[in-house]
Amino acid sequence: MNPLDALRRGTTPLATPVYPLRATRFIDREYFNIVYRTDPEALRQVVPEPMTVTEPLVRFEVMKMGDVDGYGPYVESGQAIQVSVDGEHGEYLHSMYLNNFAATVSGRELSAYPKALGAPRLHVEEGALVGTLDRGSERIATATMAYKWEPLALDEAAAQITVPTFMVKLVPNVFTQGLSAADLVRTEISDITVKEAWTGPARLQLFEHALVPMADLPVLEVLSASHILTDLTLAPVQSVHDYLHGSGQ
């Protein structure tokens, strides 16, 4: 294999492609969202500038992927924090845990999604939508909502999913042990079809774990919940702030 052939592979291992190098299409992507109020000081400890915390609100999510190009079905769970960047309101993706290795590494390498391996699950049990996240044998989160309790307007559901999202992208420099890049990036889903949307009474419990610190953002009050079924395509990210050079883009 000559050097140009190696570069065209795009990922390692060179002889064993892990994920496709193209936009990813999701069919029957199922969201279970719970928005809750938390401790403002806890948010200030984990949200890097130039993002600012507008309200002490966090969205806990469990997403069940029905069919994904290049990856197949998997489940994902995480936390998104309501923030503002230069006057634009959106969400900072604070943590994401999923049960698919390829989707984990592609989210980190091709984009800036803060993904790590975990064991989330989304299912219906005795009239309740149940979302859980485990790490090994330890429970991290349990969320419940009355199943298809009350219809949610499709445009409102779409608005929940298409808010601007912000992430921190760090690229290590293996030669200097420093960083080659450090950027705050922005993305926004625009190619989306909402098929179903529901809301209802919900509860959320978070359990402390040293390696999955979701409970560091404690649940003080559950404000809303939604259960949404969509088709969508993820959009690429764009840099909005360069941490290494102290400038916006």
Side-chain angles (χ1 to χ4, degrees):
M1 183 187 299
N2 64 49
L4 286 179
D5 287 336
L7 292 175
R8 292 190 186 102
R9 301 298 173 102
T11 66
T12 58
L14 293 178
T16 309
V18 179
Y19 49 79
L21 300 175
R22 56 181 174 80
T24 303
R25 181 68 176 170
F26 295 80
I27 303 298
D28 291 337
R29 178 166 169 152
E30 188 175 0
Y31 285 83
F32 178 17
N33 300 312
I34 293 183
V35 176
Y36 70 92
R37 189 178 305 279
T38 193
D39 178 5
E41 182 57 32
L43 291 183
R44 283 190 281 269
Q45 294 296 319
V46 298
V47 175
E49 297 177 354
M51 292 180 287
T52 58
V53 176
T54 52
E55 292 188 74
L57 302 181
V58 179
R59 182 173 59 84
F60 172 83
E61 64 180 4
V62 181
M63 296 178 289
K64 187 176 183 179
M65 319 302 179
D67 183 37
V68 189
D69 293 355
Y71 304 92
Y74 62 92
V75 187
E76 186 169 330
S77 180
Q79 290 169 309
I81 299 168
Q82 290 196 12
V83 296
S84 178
V85 180
D86 295 330
E88 181 180 43
H89 295 282
E91 292 183 332
Y92 167 55
L93 298 187
H94 174 56
S95 63
M96 307 177 85
Y97 301 93
L98 54 160
N99 59 1
N100 182 296
F101 174 75
T104 301
V105 295
S106 68
R108 294 167 65 102
E109 294 177 4
L110 294 181
S111 189
Y113 292 97
K115 296 190 175 188
L117 289 172
R121 187 177 178 220
L122 183 63
H123 64 284
V124 178
E125 183 176 336
E126 296 187 0
L129 181 67
V130 181
T132 59
L133 173 63
D134 296 337
R135 181 180 174 98
S137 63
E138 297 299 315
R139 177 57 47 93
I140 306 299
T142 300
T144 55
M145 185 184 99
Y147 183 64
K148 295 192 175 182
W149 191 259
E150 183 178 347
L152 177 67
L154 299 185
D155 57 348
E156 183 178 345
Q160 292 182 20
I161 298 170
T162 58
V163 298
T165 55
F166 300 91
M167 301 166 280
V168 174
K169 176 67 173 181
L170 302 178
V171 181
N173 186 318
V174 297
F175 302 107
T176 67
Q177 305 304 309
L179 292 172
S180 294
D183 291 81
L184 177 66
V185 302
R186 178 194 184 279
T187 186
E188 184 174 357
I189 295 171
S190 57
D191 179 7
I192 183 172
T193 300
V194 177
K195 298 177 174 180
E196 294 183 36
W198 304 87
T199 187
R203 298 292 185 271
L204 173 63
Q205 293 176 287
L206 301 177
F207 304 93
E208 294 187 353
H209 192 294
L211 300 181
V212 189
M214 280 191 165
D216 287 0
L217 304 180
V219 180
L220 302 183
E221 180 187 9
V222 171
L223 300 180
S224 65
S226 60
H227 178 206
I228 304 168
L229 184 66
T230 70
D231 296 342
L232 61 84
T233 305
L234 292 182
V237 300
Q238 295 181 330
S239 176
V240 295
H241 183 81
D242 183 341
Y243 287 108
L244 292 182
H245 301 95
S247 64
Q249 302 296 309

